[in-house]
Amino acid sequence: MHLILRLAQTADIPALQALYKSTIELSCINDYTPEQIRVWAASAQNDERWKKRIEGQYFIVAIIAQAIVGFASLENGNYIDMMYVHHNHLRRGIANLLMDALEKKASSHHLKELYSNVSKTAKPFFEKRGFQVVKENWIEIEGVSISNYRMVKER
């Protein structure tokens, strides 16, 4: 597996949206209801939101054979906003490589903690990386409540 990490570009938005949507729909089915998955995955279609993330965050993509197989972003030097890996590429070390890159970038900001709001599906990965649950969050999308976890890693 020859993997390349690079900064995301606005031209990547359609591929990022497709990966985001399919990852939620296929990887989160054991942790969320069909209705929760539907409204969560539908949030992918906001092009302007993706553009702002790519332009305003440290946003990286993982590429194998010219296809984006994962992505992650860091906001304000210590908030992991997004981290998704294509369902066909799970458990191959891609999330670890993305997290390594985010942690390296975060260390340059000299902040005391790294944090994220993490899905039930991603929680075990973040725990293995040294993050601890601070609290359970409930967000509402189109009238549907979805839980995630505020997780923190002391630096």
Side-chain angles (χ1 to χ4, degrees):
M1 164 178 84
H2 182 66
L3 182 121
I4 297 167
L5 292 181
R6 69 158 168 81
L7 290 174
Q9 305 164 357
T10 54
D12 296 327
I13 290 173
L16 296 171
Q17 289 171 318
L19 191 153
Y20 176 90
K21 186 175 186 298
S22 69
T23 299
I24 293 166
E25 291 172 343
L26 299 169
S27 298
C28 300
I29 58 174
N30 294 323
D31 298 311
Y32 294 93
T33 69
E35 185 179 31
Q36 289 171 324
I37 288 172
R38 180 185 58 76
V39 298
W40 181 12
S43 70
Q45 298 315 308
N46 186 335
D47 290 358
E48 191 57 34
R49 192 168 156 215
W50 286 94
K51 186 175 185 277
K52 284 181 181 177
R53 281 180 164 137
I54 289 169
E55 292 174 351
Q57 299 180 6
Y58 176 68
F59 198 124
I60 55 176
V61 295
I63 299 172
I64 296 175
Q66 299 176 322
I68 295 175
V69 296
F71 63 89
S73 71
L74 186 69
E75 183 178 35
N76 298 325
N78 71 335
Y79 175 66
I80 299 170
D81 184 27
M82 305 188 87
M83 178 172 285
Y84 289 83
V85 174
H86 191 282
H87 66 277
N88 287 337
H89 295 274
L90 295 174
R91 292 171 186 73
R92 295 185 184 175
I94 296 168
N96 278 313
L97 290 171
L98 289 166
M99 183 65 84
D100 289 345
L102 294 185
E103 289 198 35
K104 182 177 180 184
K105 182 70 170 178
S107 69
S108 71
H109 291 272
H110 307 292
L111 299 169
K112 294 188 190 265
E113 65 181 25
L114 195 57
Y115 70 102
S116 189
N117 293 307
V118 175
S119 70
K120 291 178 190 178
T121 309
K123 184 174 168 265
F125 169 78
F126 276 78
E127 288 172 332
K128 285 178 187 166
R129 293 292 305 218
F131 286 76
Q132 296 181 339
V133 173
V134 175
K135 69 175 185 163
E136 185 174 15
N137 299 315
W138 286 93
I139 57 169
E140 193 170 299
I141 304 172
E142 295 180 29
V144 178
S145 292
I146 302 173
S147 70
N148 66 23
Y149 300 93
R150 170 65 56 113
M151 297 188 76
V152 173
K153 181 177 184 176
E154 300 296 325
R155 306 208 26 92

